[in-house]
Amino acid sequence: MIELADPGLPTYDVILSADDPPRGPDQGPTETREPAALAGRLRMGGPHAVRLTPEELAEDSELARYAEEQAALYEHHLVRLSLTFVPRADGPRLKFANVALHLTSGWGPKPVAHSMDPIRLTDPVQIQRVRRLGPQLSLLGADASLGEMTRTVGYTTNQPLVQALDLGGSTPAWDFRPTAATDLSGTYPLSLVVRCGAGTDTELRCTVTAGVEKPLLRRFSRELPDPLRLKAFL
């Protein structure tokens, strides 16, 4: 196992466009109108790519040997990026966000996400359920009260905050969802090892998607263009 230096990713504000037209009227107070774009809420960092050669991995003899054994068929590249959720007291709550990558190459084996980090981040959340039993052990609904017996059952579950998708495929992504305990805020470092054919040029494109509820759930997305496009020939 080796540790690579933090590349100090440059960050960019990302403005997402609405995927569908506003459903509300264009007139009326500003706070009641549906937004045409989502701005000032997300910042992207990177990407930064490092080719994982035997020389780069020399500090770990096992990793260096693996890279050398694979060199005739494959190359491996460490790609790092980040997503920052900017807190806004006056803005709608983010209901989800997604960072989707698309890996393509002109020839050779299809590039894939060999590994990803994080794979899954969760929040422990306390759940309570009330069980109600009535005459002859019938299960009672929430509104029943006459002659019922109640028992509160508590347990802890783990709600996913971040999940990696399509590990081993060419369309890896990270999905972000707020939990009962945690809103989407702060910076999340993201990294993946891309495996591609030896000697090929691989392009990495990125689409960022987010959803807010104001007043209905709306979806915003953008495939980042130059110079914000996450495009790298690895």
Side-chain angles (χ1 to χ4, degrees):
M1 178 179 179
I2 64 173
E3 293 186 4
L4 299 177
D6 185 349
L9 301 175
T11 59
Y12 312 89
D13 289 319
V14 181
I15 299 175
L16 308 183
S17 300
D19 286 355
D20 53 0
R23 290 177 287 248
D26 293 333
Q27 305 300 322
T30 302
E31 62 271 12
T32 65
R33 301 178 192 172
E34 290 192 342
L38 190 64
R41 302 299 301 275
L42 301 173
R43 291 180 62 85
M44 292 295 301
H48 180 270
V50 174
R51 184 181 175 190
L52 300 177
T53 63
E55 293 75 20
E56 186 73 33
L57 303 173
E59 294 182 11
D60 189 308
S61 58
E62 184 176 347
L63 288 177
R65 183 171 60 253
Y66 177 81
E68 189 170 2
E69 291 171 351
Q70 296 284 305
L73 294 176
Y74 300 112
E75 294 178 359
H76 295 82
H77 305 263
L78 174 63
V79 181
R80 286 180 281 192
L81 58 157
S82 67
L83 180 65
T84 297
F85 297 94
V86 181
R88 286 277 299 274
D90 58 340
R93 184 172 185 256
L94 288 172
K95 301 295 290 185
F96 70 87
N98 183 276
V99 176
L101 307 179
H102 187 203
L103 304 169
T104 57
S105 60
W107 58 278
K110 182 174 68 173
V112 298
H114 182 69
S115 62
M116 301 174 68
D117 182 63
I119 289 292
R120 183 181 172 94
L121 298 178
T122 61
D123 253 350
V125 177
Q126 291 288 335
I127 302 295
Q128 288 192 337
R129 293 287 186 266
V130 177
R131 296 176 178 172
R132 291 180 170 86
L133 289 175
Q136 299 178 0
L137 300 181
S138 59
L139 292 172
L140 302 179
D143 295 334
S145 60
L146 183 61
E148 70 178 23
M149 181 184 73
T150 65
R151 181 184 178 189
T152 300
V153 179
Y155 61 94
T156 300
T157 187
N158 290 311
Q159 291 186 346
L161 179 65
V162 184
Q163 292 191 92
L165 306 173
D166 200 30
L167 175 63
S170 59
T171 56
W174 284 274
D175 193 59
F176 298 80
R177 305 274 171 170
T179 70
T182 305
D183 280 335
L184 296 180
S185 64
T187 299
Y188 292 83
L190 309 171
S191 58
L192 72 158
V193 172
V194 175
R195 189 190 73 187
C196 54
T200 61
D201 288 332
T202 298
E203 184 180 80
L204 183 153
R205 292 183 288 127
C206 178
T207 299
V208 181
T209 305
V212 298
E213 208 167 48
K214 185 185 179 181
L216 302 174
L217 181 64
R218 296 205 69 205
R219 181 185 176 96
F220 301 80
S221 64
R222 186 180 187 189
E223 180 178 340
L224 302 183
D226 292 332
L228 301 181
R229 186 172 183 176
L230 300 185
K231 177 181 178 182
F233 289 92
L234 310 179

